[in-house]
Every structure is written in C-alpha cells, then in structure tokens.
Amino acid sequence: IEGNKPEAIAKMKSAIDDPAIEVKTLPCRYPQGAEKVLIETCTGREVPFPGLPSDVGVIVMNVTSVAFVSKYLETGMPLTTKRLTVDGDIVKEPKNVEVIIGTPIQELLDFCGGLTAQPGKVLYGGPMMGIAQYNLDVTCIKGTNAVLCLTKKEAAPVVEEEVCLRCGRCVNVCPMHLTPVYMHLYAEKGMWKEAEALNVMDCIECGSCNYICPARLHLVQSFRVTKGELRALAAKEKAAKEAAKA
C-alpha cells in the first residue's frame, strides 16, 4: 500500500494475525500499481519478457479479485457486478459504487447526482491510462475500474506533434526501462520487428513518456498500433505454419 494511505495501512496491519503475512508500505510513485512494477518494488524480481509473474514465483491479485474469489467459493455465483470509482470535478457526488456489469455510464452518473457542467471528456480509467468514451450510453464491463469526467479545460485538446528533441526524458521516466524514443521512430516507419526487438510488447502504456515529452509526440498511441501489427504478424505466421503442416 502506498505511504500516503496511513489509515488503510493501519487497518490492514490490525487485521493480520499471521507472521507469514506482511503489509508493505511503498513510495507514492506512479505507476506503482502496474503488475510488473509492483513485483519489482516488493520483491526485487524482474519479470522477463514475454514471461508471467508465475515465472518468478509471484501471483498478483487486486482487492476486487480477492473479494470475488471469496464470494464465488461461498455462493458459486459468477462475476455479475463490478466495484468502481466515479470521480471528476463536475460529478456532483463522487463515490465508489458496486454496479451490475452492463450498466450505462449515464446511470452511474445519475446515481452520483449527475454532472454540474458539460463534460469535455469522459474516461474509463484514470487520467493517464483512461480510454475516452464516445457517449454516455457505453456500458461498464468487467475490466472497468473507474469513470472519470473531465471539464473542457481539463480535457486538453490533441496537439500537433513536433520534432523529437532527443532529450531522453521518455527514457528516464519509463518504469519498464525501455527506450520510447527509438520505439516510436521504428513505429513511424512501420518497422515492427525492429520495435519488437526493443521490447515494445513490454510497454504497459502508462503514459509517462507521453506526459513528459516536450515535443508532444503521441508515443503510447504509436506503441498500441505497433503491438497490434505485431500480434497480426504473429497470427499470420502461426496460420502459415499450421497450413504447411496440413
């Protein structure tokens, strides 16, 4: 638990009576909650690409998943509801809610007292990694953890990309120790395999490079496109091998 939540830390420590369980206080640093970052911070182990946490002897489960497993073992009911946060300066009554999967955003906002102004952008997720939604009829799914409503002032418009300065700031802030500047260069030229060699698939799309870039390059978007192209290439290669065997 991050150190800026002392009440949560105290509550968890008081609930534990097993010496094998430890509550670890972590520095408040984004993106601390990312799976691979969390593992490295807590255990010092680095999950190799394309490995899984289990490859280094770790299982990561968030609070909602743990609560669901408990409920499932007791009742046998599948996942039908989702706990999420509804927040933003224009949300009249921001709160954490438990909703049925498939509930539209509009109903969530109505439950929270509605909006005090016209939203400039509505995100599924937080301000750094959230995905903008087309309208308020979009429904929440099992992966939705938050609905964030931004004002027009907060929802900065998409700006024109400038020329990369080669300043290296994106490299310094990358929590996965990647080189966004070169991955973006290969992505622009459609050199997908070269970007893959730089471990672009290890990118967690946290948005840190986007945020720090003085040239306002759309780095994360280019990495998402690159990942999609690499997955498509892998699928084609797999299909070709299966056809050859047949």
Side-chain angles (χ1 to χ4, degrees):
I1 305 174
E2 290 182 323
N4 65 341
K5 303 175 181 65
E7 293 181 4
I9 293 170
K11 192 76 173 178
M12 289 297 292
K13 285 184 175 179
S14 67
I16 293 172
D17 57 2
D18 188 336
I21 300 175
E22 175 191 0
V23 177
K24 193 173 184 67
T25 302
L26 302 178
C28 185
R29 182 178 62 228
Y30 178 81
Q32 191 73 263
E35 185 176 70
K36 293 182 179 180
V37 176
L38 197 61
I39 292 171
E40 187 174 0
T41 305
C42 289
T43 69
R45 306 172 196 173
E46 185 174 341
V47 180
F49 179 81
L52 298 171
S54 57
D55 295 331
V56 293
V58 176
I59 294 175
V60 179
M61 289 188 72
N62 61 42
V63 174
T64 301
S65 297
V66 173
F68 166 69
V69 169
S70 173
K71 185 176 180 181
Y72 174 75
L73 291 175
E74 288 181 353
T75 66
M77 280 290 292
L79 183 65
T80 58
T81 63
K82 176 70 179 179
R83 292 182 180 89
L84 52 85
T85 300
V86 182
D87 202 358
D89 289 343
I90 56 175
V91 177
K92 195 170 184 179
E93 300 172 11
K95 59 183 70 177
N96 295 324
V97 297
E98 182 174 8
V99 301
I100 297 172
I101 293 173
T103 302
I105 296 177
Q106 185 63 64
E107 289 190 23
L108 293 177
L109 298 178
D110 291 342
F111 183 75
C112 294
L115 301 177
T116 59
Q118 186 70 19
K121 185 176 290 186
V122 176
L123 303 175
Y124 264 169
M128 295 291 281
M129 299 178 69
I131 305 297
Q133 302 304 305
Y134 181 72
N135 60 42
L136 300 182
D137 293 326
V138 177
T139 58
C140 65
I141 58 176
K142 67 177 183 179
T144 307
N145 58 11
V147 174
L148 180 62
C149 299
L150 303 177
T151 63
K152 292 182 179 180
K153 183 179 180 181
E154 290 173 327
V158 177
V159 296
E160 292 280 337
E161 288 186 321
E162 298 180 17
V163 178
C164 176
L165 307 176
R166 299 293 193 275
C167 64
R169 293 183 185 180
C170 57
V171 178
N172 293 335
V173 301
C174 179
M176 301 306 295
H177 315 299
L178 303 176
T179 52
V181 56
Y182 292 116
M183 296 191 311
H184 180 66
L185 182 65
Y186 286 135
E188 280 189 316
K189 296 183 178 182
M191 300 169 70
W192 316 123
K193 287 294 184 181
E194 287 77 3
E196 184 179 27
L198 293 178
N199 297 323
V200 67
M201 297 299 289
D202 229 8
C203 171
I204 60 175
E205 302 176 18
C206 66
S208 297
C209 55
N210 259 38
Y211 183 80
I212 202 69
C213 179
R216 297 293 181 262
L217 299 178
H218 304 156
L219 298 169
V220 173
Q221 180 60 25
S222 71
F223 302 153
R224 285 174 178 162
V225 171
T226 302
K227 288 180 179 182
E229 293 291 342
L230 287 171
R231 292 189 187 104
L233 285 173
K236 286 181 180 178
E237 290 173 0
K238 183 179 179 180
K241 287 180 181 179
E242 291 178 351
K245 288 180 181 180

